[in-house]
Amino acid sequence: MKVIDKKRTLLFIGLILFLTGCIPGAALTQTAGVTDEVTLVTQENPSSSPIPLSMLSEEGVDYPWWNDSVFYEIFVRSFKDSDGDGIGDFQGIIQQLDYLNDGDPNTHDDLGIRGIWLMPIFPSPSYHGYDVTDYFDVNPEYGTMDDFKQLLTEAHKRGIYIIVDLVINHSSNQHPWFKAALDPESEYHDWYVWSDSKLSYPGPWGQGVWHRASNGLYYYGVFWSGMPDLNFDNPAVSDMMLEASRFWLEDVGIDGFRVDAARYLYAEGVAQADTSKTLGWFREWRPFYKAINPEAFSVGEVWTDLRSTTKYGGGDGLDALFIFDLSEDILNAVFAPNPTRITESYLDTLAAFPDLQFSTFLTNHDQQRTMSFYQGRTDKAKMAAFIYLTGPGVPFIYYGEEIGMTGNKPDEKLRTPMQWSSEKYADFSSKFPWIMVNLDYKDVNVSIQAEDPDSLLNLYRTLIAIRNEHAALRTGAYLPLESNSKSIYATLRVSPGEILLVLVNLGKDSLSDCQLSLAESPLRGSYEIEAIFGEGNFESINVNATGAITQYTIAESLDSGEMLILNLGR
Ligand code: CA
């Protein structure tokens, strides 16, 4: 990857010039440079186009590596136990890397992911690790630093990048810094936020945020008394967190960070989220870590509405942001079919992040698992997977989602052991695990689903393989199609290299005489259709001189849940 920000802007401008044409008024049909399959046409009046031209990306544009990657979120404690102590570990992940990606793009019996997000791996007194006691080591329950470096090496061999959870808003109350800070005379006292009295204002979600310490003072902790917030107003704290990021990137060799609780670094009294100082810190952090590794990736947990999330991106903050609004829209609009809610949510997200620097997901380790949300409806889980794995943004799969693992709150139950087979303890461990395996593991596991061509796992494998092979799905423009049915989700994904049509019937009923229309587009002329995924007899699509598609019959009938990915070529 090269530093993309300015260069990409120039390429966008170049593409806009290409699309708008150098010959005034000419309705020329030009062939895109990469391949002669795709034809985009000059727009006589580009301002009338419903498509922001900046959304059209060009194959070969220097998108960073993460835009070409599907990520997989792993809770180390629950993924695979290599040494029989009931706790997942680094060597266990190494054993299972070929399941994630065997490094050979020609095999499709692996998942095909190209990035791993490891939930916290630093020493911590809790099972989850979000309260850190040492920012410069690994949790001994997960292995040694050498084990971790071996995992990095083995992952990199297979083309898998690894990012780790960076939890810097707060430490553990068991961290030596906090223990020392209890003494008001200690140099560490000012590393945390103190008050002589319990202040009355609540936290961002109504919780108590001032906690009594053993020294009689009160300290600020936005999440929990076990997680005292660090005082970023103290330059020593900020400098220490820069040093921690340098250590992991430079000395250890990871590929980036998932930034936990990014909204809360600086509280300014009752203003506790999204303060200007917090935004400013990330703008200083970016050049710092990019100087260490220009290809390092940061993705932020900014768990709020889309508009507030945008403040953290924009090319001078975090590289990418998780879009919680979009995931909620996809989940709900698949549950109670509402394709328009999905397309509008994608368009809103693209308008906020036209550079595609956002991350998509269904659920993560803090949320009810997807299969539980859908009450065991595999067909719904498949549709939701189809939508985000064929959509723009950088997808993140939560471990076990691909086999339909279930999980409802409390949090531990969202983070149970990975279900590898019907063997004892689901083949996660040879010993009773740190938490009980889901009761359904004999029916829901990797081993069974690997053999079933119709399984959720094999759908994930297939969709990721298609995404890996087709740049239009990863970075192409997103042009929703109109349909004569309220159940059909259909969109074009267009890059100058290729045009794909993505469609799924979200409804519970079969549909007949399914038609698609589009008022305006940069396409012109006639396109032959070739199925990449799904089956049917497809007539060629005719696009008129203004780029409209009118009542094109895509299928005489479509089953409930039927999915298509079609290539439009000459
Ligand atoms: Ca272990």
Side-chain angles (χ1 to χ4, degrees), residues 212-426:
R212 192 166 200 273
S214 57
N215 59 9
L217 299 174
Y218 292 83
Y219 61 94
Y220 179 77
V222 70
F223 286 98
W224 171 45
S225 61
M227 295 175 169
D229 275 48
L230 286 155
N231 176 20
F232 273 78
D233 277 319
N234 181 346
V237 169
S238 180
D239 287 350
M240 185 58 80
M241 290 312 168
L242 295 179
E243 172 57 13
S245 12
R246 186 208 62 76
F247 171 78
W248 286 95
L249 289 174
E250 195 165 66
D251 295 355
V252 182
I254 65 164
D255 303 298
F257 301 102
R258 178 265 185 184
V259 183
D260 180 67
R263 302 179 67 201
Y264 302 108
L265 291 200
Y266 289 82
E268 298 178 38
V270 293
Q272 296 163 80
D274 308 330
T275 61
S276 57
K277 283 181 178 175
T278 296
L279 294 164
W281 194 85
F282 288 111
R283 282 194 284 270
E284 290 186 17
W285 186 52
R286 181 191 183 89
F288 176 83
Y289 76 76
K290 293 290 185 188
I292 296 164
N293 178 0
E295 297 196 24
F297 174 43
S298 67
V299 56
E301 181 204 26
V302 175
W303 195 341
T304 180
D305 59 280
L306 175 65
R307 177 189 287 262
S308 301
T309 305
T310 59
K311 297 176 191 167
Y312 290 81
D316 64 351
L318 292 162
D319 285 308
L321 282 311
F322 289 108
I323 309 300
F324 285 80
D325 279 357
L326 178 62
S327 69
E328 188 180 325
D329 286 332
I330 293 173
L331 280 173
N332 283 292
V334 166
F335 189 81
N338 184 354
T340 308
R341 179 170 174 185
I342 300 170
T343 51
E344 287 181 352
S345 192
Y346 265 123
L347 291 174
D348 288 347
T349 304
L350 287 161
F353 293 91
D355 56 0
L356 304 185
Q357 298 309 301
F358 62 93
S359 288
T360 57
F361 61 102
L362 296 180
T363 68
N364 67 22
H365 62 280
D366 286 323
Q367 300 168 307
Q368 181 185 38
R369 277 190 176 271
T370 302
M371 188 58 91
S372 294
F373 178 82
Y374 289 130
Q375 301 166 355
R377 292 276 304 270
T378 301
D379 60 331
K380 297 283 185 188
K382 285 181 174 179
M383 295 177 211
F386 179 83
I387 284 166
Y388 92 113
L389 292 173
T390 59
V394 181
F396 277 69
I397 298 165
Y398 183 44
Y399 83 96
E401 173 190 304
E402 75 276 20
I403 54 171
M405 274 174 61
T406 53
N408 290 295
K409 294 259 183 180
D411 287 347
E412 298 93 301
K413 293 294 193 181
L414 314 172
R415 307 165 184 175
T416 56
M418 181 69 179
Q419 294 163 209
W420 294 106
S421 82
S422 309
E423 301 295 313
K424 200 171 186 186
Y425 308 131

Side-chain angles (χ1 to χ4, degrees), residues 81-83 85 87-89 141:
D81 172 22
S82 71
D83 58 2
D85 64 356
I87 295 173
D89 45 53
E141 291 182 322

